[in-house]
Amino acid sequence: MPDISLTMLIVLCLAAGAAGWIDAVVGGGGLLLLPALLLGLPHVPASHILGTNKAVAIVGTSGAAVTYVRKAPVKVKTALRIGLAALAGSMTGAFFAAGISSAVLRPVILVVLLGVAAFVMFKPAFGTGASGQPVTRARTVTAIVLVGGGIGLYDGLFGPGTGTFLVLALTAVLHLDLVTASATAKIVNVCTNVGALAMFAYQGSVMWQLAAIMAVFNLAGGLIGARMALRKGSEFVRGVLLVVVFSLIAKLAFDQWG
């Protein structure tokens, strides 16, 4: 565990709790947790920051996934199939990540996110309830290949906002309400996080003691977030979704032009 002050440890634990809550509701907790680790531990190698981030996040994501599966109408088999495709996609993306500049990807993602924000704002009924339309085999395959593999590839290449993209894509492709989409996304996130964490652990890039302390708070935040989403419904998730999307837009814009 790195030599950090008690004050900084408390700040990191609070950030982990808040990130767990955000991630459980709509994805995007890494927007808070990863910068907190980078700012709080400026002398720690980036690989160790990333590895520790995954070790913390997987605990809260797993807790939220279990909560959702117990209380939301989630098709676990479908979610696991999408998760395995996302795992393969993220590994492929990570393999090619070194040859792609994030400066090239940021403007593209910014445009996509602005379109997403406009769509969600001007389509207030989006994701507020299941459409009732049957989910065909073709849509399920599309979800596995494009949502799982495609967003998994993006996660390996770039990363920010993966959970949020998953929620939106699952809502659109499988006609899910936002609560069920968020629940499904958590299962997919667990699959991708397992692969990433295994690689970081193999490379010795995880600060396990710090991660264990922060994970307790991340788990608490994840459990609270999942229960709030289940209790308050899709309108609540939609509001949080818009906040996270605009936060991601601001972060990417700052990284690009700040």
Side-chain angles (χ1 to χ4, degrees), residues 52-68:
T52 303
N53 173 65
K54 284 297 182 186
V56 174
I58 196 172
V59 176
T61 300
S62 299
V66 171
T67 300
Y68 276 124

Side-chain angles (χ1 to χ4, degrees), residues 176-193:
L176 303 177
D177 63 82
L178 285 170
V179 173
T180 305
S182 188
T184 305
K186 295 291 93 55
I187 297 173
V188 177
N189 279 159
V190 171
C191 293
T192 56
N193 284 343

Side-chain angles (χ1 to χ4, degrees), residues 7-258:
T7 300
M8 182 52 62
L9 180 60
I10 292 173
V11 169
L12 290 176
C13 288
L14 292 175
W21 186 90
I22 294 169
D23 212 38
V25 175
V26 77
L31 293 172
L32 178 60
L33 183 56
L34 192 56
L37 284 166
L38 288 169
L39 292 172
L41 306 171
H43 303 299
V44 173
S47 61
H48 286 65
I49 294 291
L50 293 170
T52 303
N53 173 65
K54 284 297 182 186
V56 174
I58 196 172
V59 176
T61 300
S62 299
V66 171
T67 300
Y68 276 124
V69 167
R70 291 172 61 188
K71 298 185 179 181
V74 183
K75 294 183 177 179
V76 178
K77 287 185 178 180
T78 300
L80 288 174
R81 288 170 183 165
I82 297 171
L84 290 174
L87 175 60
S90 65
M91 292 176 68
T92 303
F95 180 79
F96 290 106
I100 297 179
S101 171
S102 60
V104 175
L105 288 174
R106 284 194 200 106
V108 177
I109 303 304
L110 272 170
V111 172
V112 172
L113 281 171
L114 286 169
V116 165
F119 179 81
V120 175
M121 288 178 67
F122 294 111
K123 287 280 189 179
F126 177 73
T128 56
S131 68
Q133 300 180 41
V135 178
T136 63
R137 181 178 178 82
R139 283 189 173 271
T140 301
V141 172
T142 299
I144 293 171
V145 176
L146 295 184
V147 179
I151 295 179
L153 182 69
Y154 166 79
D155 191 21
L157 283 172
F158 196 48
T162 297
T164 304
F165 283 132
L166 277 172
V167 171
L168 289 166
L170 289 167
T171 301
V173 175
L174 296 181
H175 304 307
L176 303 177
D177 63 82
L178 285 170
V179 173
T180 305
S182 188
T184 305
K186 295 291 93 55
I187 297 173
V188 177
N189 279 159
V190 171
C191 293
T192 56
N193 284 343
V194 165
L197 180 58
M199 181 59 68
F200 282 122
Y202 175 75
Q203 295 171 340
S205 299
V206 180
M207 296 178 284
W208 291 108
Q209 288 179 308
L210 176 61
I213 297 171
M214 295 176 64
V216 173
F217 290 82
N218 191 253
L219 176 61
L223 293 175
I224 293 170
R227 288 171 182 170
M228 285 183 69
L230 287 165
R231 186 173 70 251
K232 293 180 177 291
S234 293
E235 281 293 346
F236 169 72
V237 176
R238 180 176 177 273
V240 177
L241 173 65
L242 284 172
V243 171
V244 171
V245 167
F246 280 116
S247 298
L248 183 54
I249 290 171
K251 179 185 184 300
L252 291 174
F254 179 81
D255 290 343
Q256 182 71 17
W257 297 294

